Amino acid sequence: MMLTIPIALFTALPGLGLVPEDLDTIPWVKRVEQIPVAPGALPAADLVRVDHSPNMPPIGNQGAQGSCVAWAHGYYHMTHNEFVERGWNVRDPHNQFSPAFLYNQVNGGRDWGTNGSVVMRLAVEQGCASIVDHGAVEEPLHRDSSGC
């Protein structure tokens, strides 16, 4: 059986922007085999369920942009890390990192997605503006984010 999907359907779908890459070929990416558990915590094998929802920013929307990698790393991962490290309130937009700030610096002015290593490297080397300072989804795509 052959599945036929009308092209018009693809234009109605949200952006799908993960560009796959082989992380084993990137010298600065280090594979983590095991993450130590905090003293007194249950071993990972004994955990039945983990829910980080209260410690995560509200669910956002990338719209039709292929910026999912910037949302995953910038908005969710970086915001959650600051909650863990500094106790920041993840519901406060001043403490939420901007996916547009990251995505619009790595996409070359085109909405064709990106890979994780490029976004992570930019965030580590340059940092990331907050949603208050730079927004979440931005038009036009080619706006220079470096001055924020």
Side-chain angles (χ1 to χ4, degrees), residues 16-26 66 68-69 112-118:
L16 305 172
L18 174 62
V19 176
E21 63 185 322
D22 181 359
L23 296 177
D24 290 328
T25 65
I26 303 169
C68 60
V69 173
W112 52 21
T114 188
N115 56 47
S117 68
V118 172

Side-chain angles (χ1 to χ4, degrees), residues 56-68:
M56 297 298 287
I59 295 172
N61 187 346
Q62 74 190 57
Q65 251 187 11
S67 58
C68 60

Side-chain angles (χ1 to χ4, degrees), residues 97-121:
F97 291 95
S98 168
F101 181 83
L102 297 170
Y103 185 59
N104 289 295
Q105 290 186 75
V106 300
N107 68 13
R110 294 187 177 183
D111 188 21
W112 52 21
T114 188
N115 56 47
S117 68
V118 172
V119 171
M120 286 184 237
R121 181 168 222 138

